Amino acid sequence: GKYVILAQSGISTVPASAVTGDIGVSPIAATAITGFSLILDSTNVFSTSTQVVGHAYAADYALPTPSNLTTAISDMQTAFTDAAGRTPGVTELGAGTIGGMTLTPGVYAWSTALLIPTNVTLMGSATDVWIFQVAQTLTMSSATTVFLTGGAVAKNVFWQVSGLVELGTTAHLEGIVLGQTSIALQTGASISGRLLAQTAVTLDSSAVVEPAL
């Protein structure tokens, strides 16, 4: 929960992206954070970047950063496993294509890839939870949006995805992405939530904003 972007093999950006919140990589070094023009703080605990409203952390920084990141990576993997293990109430909705739908709270599962070709609405209250279990890839087409209505909040939306997550040009997603592989935001894509990847995260003039707790 400390990081808006957390990755195990790298975070890259095509400037200028706008990231609100802390970012981190582990078990790799800070050299895996590219395109951010990092400035190492005098404490050697974190770096800063003009593209990040927050701090950047890496496994080769000074204590306590390495142990904090090890814990975060472990927790990220636990969260992925937990989300994957929830019992779905809806399976194979739309045969893997959910454009134009309004979805109420619950656990949704697909054994295939999931495509969002047009806008999707999540309708519920501030305490409602959505978990989307995707066995293959998650793709949002360009210029599509996931909307929250009725008081729904991004911190209660979870996208647990075993394959690649790709947000098309100017697409906008809401929620916490738990990716077993990579997460890629194309030019101008954005998210209100978190990008937690067991491999890499790539941005391209993207906006990433951590959700309110």
Side-chain angles (χ1 to χ4, degrees):
K2 175 179 173 57
Y3 303 95
V4 67
I5 303 177
L6 183 64
Q8 291 184 246
S9 63
I11 303 171
S12 65
T13 180
V14 176
S17 291
V19 178
T20 302
D22 294 336
I23 67 175
V25 294
S26 180
I28 52 175
T31 52
I33 303 177
T34 60
F36 286 93
S37 301
L38 295 180
I39 301 171
L40 184 62
D41 185 73
S42 60
T43 64
N44 293 329
V45 170
F46 62 86
S47 289
T48 59
S49 167
T50 58
Q51 298 176 71
V52 180
V53 180
H55 295 153
Y57 297 89
D60 59 333
Y61 285 176
L63 297 176
T65 296
S67 60
N68 288 345
L69 283 167
T70 297
T71 298
I73 292 294
S74 176
D75 289 347
M76 173 181 73
Q77 294 168 343
T78 299
F80 179 94
T81 302
D82 183 288
R86 300 298 179 100
T87 301
V90 180
T91 58
E92 315 302 347
L93 180 67
T97 302
I98 59 171
M101 294 186 181
T102 297
L103 306 181
T104 55
V107 181
Y108 297 77
W110 292 268
S111 61
T112 60
L114 178 61
L115 173 65
I116 304 177
T118 57
N119 296 343
V120 168
T121 300
L122 307 183
M123 184 171 63
S125 73
T127 58
D128 286 328
V129 175
W130 290 256
I131 299 175
F132 300 102
Q133 303 166 337
V134 185
Q136 299 180 27
T137 60
L138 167 61
T139 305
M140 288 189 70
S141 298
S142 296
T144 59
T145 298
V146 171
F147 292 102
L148 302 181
T149 61
V153 291
K155 70 175 183 177
N156 291 337
V157 179
F158 300 89
W159 304 87
Q160 177 265 318
V161 185
S162 296
L164 167 70
V165 176
E166 182 172 21
L167 276 59
T169 303
T170 71
H172 177 77
L173 183 62
E174 297 273 346
I176 314 303
V177 180
L178 296 164
Q180 192 170 31
T181 57
S182 60
I183 303 171
L185 275 61
Q186 302 302 325
T187 307
S190 61
I191 181 171
S192 174
R194 303 183 192 277
L195 302 174
L196 309 177
Q198 293 181 34
T199 59
V201 172
T202 61
L203 311 177
D204 187 344
S205 303
S206 306
V208 181
V209 179
E210 64 181 348
L213 295 176

